[in-house]
Amino acid sequence: MGGTVLVSGTSSDAHTWNLIYVHLFLEERGYTVHNLGSCVPDDLLVRSCRELRPDLVVLSSVNGHGFTDGLRAIRTIREQRDVRHVPVVIGGKLGTDGLRNAGCTRRLLNAGFDAVFDNGDLGAFELFLNRHRTAAA
Amino acid sequence: MTAPPDRGFGGFVATARSHGHLVVQPRMGFGSRARMRVGLERTKQAQGVTVGTITLDSYTRVGDFAAARAAVGGNSPLNGYPLLAHGAEATRALLDGVQDESFPVQVRHGSARPQAVFAELVAAGVHATEGGPVSYCLPYSRTPLRESVRHWAQSCELLASAGGPDVVPHLESFGGCMLGQLCPPGLLVALSVLEGLFFTQHGLRSISLSYAQQTSTEQDMEALAALHRLAAEELPPDVRWHSVLYAYMGLYPSTARGAERLLRSAASLAVRAGAARLIVKTTAEAHRIPTIAENVAALELAAHTAAQARPDEPGAPRDESGGGVYAEARALVHAVRELHPDLGTALARAFARGLLDIPFCLHPDNQGRTRSLIDDQGRLRWSSTGGLPLPGTAPQPAARAMTSAGLLESLTFVQRAYDS
Ligand code: B12
């Protein structure tokens, strides 16, 4: 089966329907999900990674600040000696202009995200999960 | 003795209403001051009776002023106006020559700790804002409800003491929206009235109560009728109030045509049900932050539609007292008021005991034992009432397990109806 996934909103984002949806989506694929809810400060995210030791962290943001908040969150995680190796992905509506932004996506990947689903592409996410699962097996 | 004239937000809406005009308002906010200024000017020039809006960005909402300043400094895009990063003085200059008696401006924020925002907007010369101890806590923050109540009590008092000789400070409850979708109307109406009462306990004399359009026009008519009736019964007689309808706050139609149809139905609902003000949504809603031009187009479409609609005759065959919605809302309001004379204490206790419980809300202070569904007539109903003290609810079959597909089907109900 899938393992443990930590689902979390980003620090400035109050939206939760996205979190509930992604939570159910993962549960239906056999994962055990811990949902941190919205407006999660980076230190709570790091602490939860430390305590839960999840197999995957999924950040979701739709308020338009996802690029900025995601960048800060991933840098913080990758700086921690003990949790820096956890796989982390981000998705949703990451910018304010509704456009796919290859430059921003590349910066997020370079900063340490394992995958970025800029326009919330669930098909691509599913493929990622399958690959991730095979790799872990 | 006649009350002194109110040249502020509440007075403006009351005057428009007495002339038979629906006031229309955008949800507009930009990171740049220059763009914000033009947005307000265009709102003022739009065809229709408009008021202005400054919607704040998410960093300012959660109190991360450093991130807001960094975004302004680094020119990164913001999803609203960073009031504290720009500061009161610059905001006052931005408003100079735009905000006046014929064009009051409201700051919209979404903060569970709004003291700094309130102090800044008052210093910038604005006297109208919105939110509430519940509606800006549970859907917008991780702040414990009891703390939010304390922050909001202080903030209300700050605002209440801020008016001038002829400007009465105005506060709108966001209680009629909550998570934007899938909250049955009885609870929305109750929360709006309860937050309005909270505002009056903390000194405000000019308030508005909100209701967000849901899945059924007929049910929405009942809900607005219930809101009007309950507000008249519960609010102190010296408080001036009006009702504000929000065009649909859930997952919006993705086509321009669908978005415009939904906005038109909101505008005629507002007029038919006797709401005084309407906050619009644009054709960009499902996709991104709207431009100034898209906001103006939405305002003008709403005003034009409203001008062609007529209020329903009182005593029309429909149950104009609000029927089931009224009975539900009244039961909730009374159950909460009985808990404690101080509304803030009563609200916190009510959530702790599950007498108020928002479906699908993840906040730790919400019990999460209620659930809702859209029935075959398109009305929002309870599928689990948890501990809500509702009149005559028969024990219900346990709600079906929620699936991602089932959730999306409910969330897209309105979107699908208007896009098709
Ligand atoms: C409901 C809603 C609200 C409710 C939220 C209630 C709640 N607790 O969730 C309320 C009214 C409170 C609200 C508030 C705000 N909102 Co809002 N909101 C919406 C709305 C109308 C629907 C969102 C929704 O419920 N979607 C349902 C879920 C299931 O869909 P979804 O979020 O799109 O997620 C899907 C995909 O993106 C994907 N996905 C999501 N996350 C992830 C992650 C991964 C890894 C993957 C693979 C996929 C994925 O899966 C989902 C299913 O397909 C949208 C506009 C719209 N879409 O119609 C605006 C919208 C998201 N909001 C917006 C904004 C800006 C705000 C505010 C900042 C106010 C403002 N300035 O306008 C505040 C938020 C304050 C804050 N601190 O963040 C903007 C964002 C702009 C942007 N990104 O360009 C939108 C697009 C509206 C707009 N056009 O301006 N909002």
Side-chain angles (χ1 to χ4, degrees), chain B residues 109-324:
Chain B
H109 57 103
S111 175
R113 309 170 181 266
Q115 290 95 326
V117 167
F118 275 46
E120 205 75 15
L121 68 91
V122 165
V126 175
H127 296 97
T129 182
E130 47 99 52
V134 174
S135 62
Y136 271 3
C137 175
L138 299 188
Y140 279 94
S141 76
R142 315 179 69 83
T143 307
L145 182 57
R146 272 174 206 285
E147 280 180 32
S148 174
V149 164
R150 199 160 36 77
H151 295 308
W152 271 90
Q154 288 173 6
S155 304
C156 286
E157 282 152 24
L158 196 156
L159 181 68
S161 63
D166 52 4
V167 174
V168 184
H170 183 87
L171 190 55
E172 164 191 331
S173 163
F174 195 70
C177 177
M178 296 315 291
L179 309 192
Q181 48 205 334
L182 299 184
C183 183
L187 182 51
L188 294 176
V189 168
L191 284 168
S192 229
V193 171
L194 287 165
E195 285 194 334
L197 280 165
F198 177 90
F199 298 163
T200 65
Q201 282 194 349
H202 294 282
L204 286 145
R205 286 295 166 267
S206 172
I207 65 170
S208 44
L209 304 182
S210 63
Y211 177 73
Q213 180 183 22
Q214 301 293 328
T215 52
S216 148
T217 300
E218 194 184 306
Q219 192 181 31
D220 289 340
M221 292 289 293
E222 292 175 17
L224 281 160
L227 180 66
H228 294 150
R229 182 170 164 195
L230 207 53
E233 287 167 3
E234 299 289 322
L235 292 173
D238 63 331
V239 168
R240 288 181 254 175
W241 63 272
H242 69 260
S243 62
V244 50
L245 176 70
Y246 303 156
Y248 191 60
M249 292 295 283
L251 207 51
Y252 219 69
S254 57
T255 63
R257 185 171 155 275
E260 286 165 358
R261 281 177 62 205
L262 185 50
L263 177 60
R264 284 206 305 272
S265 78
S268 49
L269 168 66
V271 175
R272 285 183 59 201
R277 178 160 57 97
L278 170 72
I279 306 193
V280 304
K281 284 271 173 109
T282 73
T283 53
E285 175 62 17
H287 310 291
R288 55 176 165 75
I289 302 284
T291 61
I292 294 172
E294 285 161 341
N295 272 292
V296 171
L299 290 167
E300 295 188 337
L301 178 64
H304 179 77
T305 310
Q308 295 176 329
R310 291 285 160 270
D312 275 18
E313 294 292 325
R318 159 183 68 82
D319 176 4
E320 102 277 0
S321 66

Side-chain angles (χ1 to χ4, degrees), chain A residues 11-17 19-21 24-25 28-29 35-41 44 63-65 68-69 72 93 96-98, chain B residues 57-59 62 64 67 76-79 139-142 179-182 286-289 359-360 362 402-405 407-408 411:
Chain A
S11 63
S12 77
D13 197 330
H15 294 89
T16 51
W17 294 108
L19 302 176
I20 298 175
Y21 181 83
L24 293 168
F25 183 90
E28 287 159 8
R29 282 153 186 81
N35 191 338
L36 283 183
S38 65
C39 298
V40 177
L44 175 60
N63 75 348
H65 291 178
T68 317
D69 290 345
R72 212 194 40 235
K93 271 184 204 302
T96 56
D97 54 10
Chain B
D57 73 287
S58 291
Y59 293 126
V62 298
D64 190 352
S76 23
L78 284 169
N79 60 12
Y140 279 94
S141 76
R142 315 179 69 83
L179 309 192
Q181 48 205 334
L182 299 184
H287 310 291
R288 55 176 165 75
I289 302 284
F360 305 102
L362 298 179
M402 195 174 26
T403 63
S404 61
L407 176 70
L408 212 52
L411 291 175

